[in-house]
Amino acid sequence: SLHFDRIELCQNLDQGGLTPSAGFIQLALDLGLETHVLIRPRAGGFVYSEAEIQVMEKEIEFCSSVGVKGVVLGVLTADLRIDMEQLQRLKSSAKNMEVTFHRAFDRCIDPFKGLEDIIQTGCKRILTSGQVPNVSNALPLIAELVHNANGRIIIMPGSGVRANNISEIIASTGVKEMHSSARKNY
């Protein structure tokens, strides 16, 4: 049986999602939702300057101070590997909040090395579409990631997850969690 028990809060979905405002975060918490907040200071790639990392640290500290359950982030090096130094720094800012490594993972040049790097930092889950725009086209890779993760981290497919393909994704990959966008166009 499916149940929806967590929200990932972000703004500017047209730009791939950016960090939401303090008011928006507070509103979600007031509704009693288990809230995970996207920490992404700007659109574009996932290679960040020192100033941007400092902003991300402040946003993570704010989330921690208001009772957010987790943060969602991703940092890469210029040669498209996991930026271990920045990831460890942001992870330590998160203190006891859960950290999800987001779809920056899909730009990573070596997903299996990336998986091991992210596991090493103690992140809780990886959000991935299997390195292609739509997860339905990457189920063998997702299954392989789940196998390699071997319970050490949650692999959470996202991008193209819909009510009509959830069963197939679970059956062919063995995933336990999934991510689906709830968009409303005004």
Side-chain angles (χ1 to χ4, degrees), residues 40 43-47 76-82 101-111 127-132:
R40 188 177 179 217
F46 304 103
V47 180
L76 298 176
T77 59
D79 63 350
L80 301 181
R81 297 177 193 285
I82 305 302
F101 196 99
H102 63 43
R103 288 188 56 211
F105 178 80
D106 293 326
R107 303 270 178 88
C108 183
I109 202 156
D110 179 347
L127 171 60
T128 178
S129 63
Q131 302 213 307
V132 295

Side-chain angles (χ1 to χ4, degrees), residues 6-183:
R6 192 167 57 226
I7 186 166
E8 180 196 319
L9 218 56
C10 64
Q11 288 181 184
N12 302 84
L13 263 180
D14 55 324
Q15 297 177 63
L18 299 177
T19 304
S21 69
F24 192 23
I25 293 168
Q26 201 60 65
L27 197 60
L29 292 169
D30 290 349
L31 291 171
L33 299 169
E34 181 187 312
T35 304
H36 293 243
V37 173
L38 178 66
I39 306 295
R40 188 177 179 217
R42 58 158 171 79
F46 304 103
V47 180
Y48 296 109
S49 69
E50 174 59 23
E52 288 169 328
I53 292 290
Q54 287 178 20
V55 168
M56 293 167 83
E57 285 178 313
K58 292 291 181 201
E59 287 171 335
I60 291 168
E61 286 161 18
F62 169 77
C63 288
S64 178
S65 74
V66 295
V68 165
K69 175 77 189 260
V71 289
V72 181
L73 51 87
V75 282
L76 298 176
T77 59
D79 63 350
L80 301 181
R81 297 177 193 285
I82 305 302
D83 190 328
M84 293 294 281
E85 189 185 330
Q86 307 291 36
L87 181 55
Q88 272 156 337
R89 197 171 147 189
L90 295 172
K91 175 86 174 61
S92 67
S93 293
K95 299 187 177 69
N96 52 3
M97 287 188 295
E98 291 181 5
V99 176
T100 298
F101 196 99
H102 63 43
R103 288 188 56 211
F105 178 80
D106 293 326
R107 303 270 178 88
C108 183
I109 202 156
D110 179 347
F112 299 107
K113 170 82 167 86
L115 172 69
E116 295 304 326
D117 287 346
I118 294 166
I119 287 170
Q120 195 185 316
T121 63
C123 290
K124 174 90 175 172
R125 66 181 61 78
I126 296 173
L127 171 60
T128 178
S129 63
Q131 302 213 307
V132 295
N134 190 308
V135 74
S136 295
N137 301 322
L139 298 184
L141 176 60
I142 300 284
E144 207 173 339
L145 289 167
V146 169
H147 174 78
N148 287 20
N150 194 24
R152 295 174 295 157
I153 195 169
I154 295 161
I155 303 295
M156 182 170 67
S159 189
V161 173
R162 302 287 176 263
N164 62 5
N165 66 1
I166 284 176
S167 302
E168 181 202 352
I169 294 170
I170 293 171
S172 55
T173 64
V175 296
K176 303 277 191 279
E177 295 185 7
M178 271 184 278
H179 179 283
S180 189
S181 296
R183 293 168 188 262

